[in-house]
Amino acid sequence: MRISSKGCFILAAAWLLVSLMWFFWVKNTAIGVVWLIVGGIELILAFIMRQKEKHK
């Protein structure tokens, strides 16, 4: 089963929103930075997947 780029964009948005929660509500910057990095990586992967889908 393959995930679409739309699913990756949704997942990336969720990771980025959760990282904001860790920064502002929980006040744990270390975990917030980790979530932010993972969200950024997921966003980059979504853009790469979108480009591959357009070329098919």
Side-chain angles (χ1 to χ4, degrees):
M1 184 169 97
R2 294 186 54 116
I3 189 168
S4 68
S5 63
K6 183 178 179 182
C8 281
F9 278 116
I10 292 169
L11 187 60
W15 281 88
L16 293 173
L17 290 174
V18 170
S19 74
L20 290 176
M21 181 190 74
W22 280 104
F23 278 121
F24 296 118
W25 287 296
V26 180
K27 305 284 190 212
N28 192 339
T29 56
I31 295 177
V33 168
V34 170
W35 282 75
L36 186 64
I37 291 170
V38 171
I41 291 170
E42 188 70 33
L43 193 60
I44 291 168
L45 290 174
F47 279 118
I48 291 170
M49 289 175 68
R50 172 73 50 107
Q51 290 300 322
K52 286 184 179 181
E53 288 175 356
K54 284 185 179 180
H55 292 301
K56 277 190 173 183

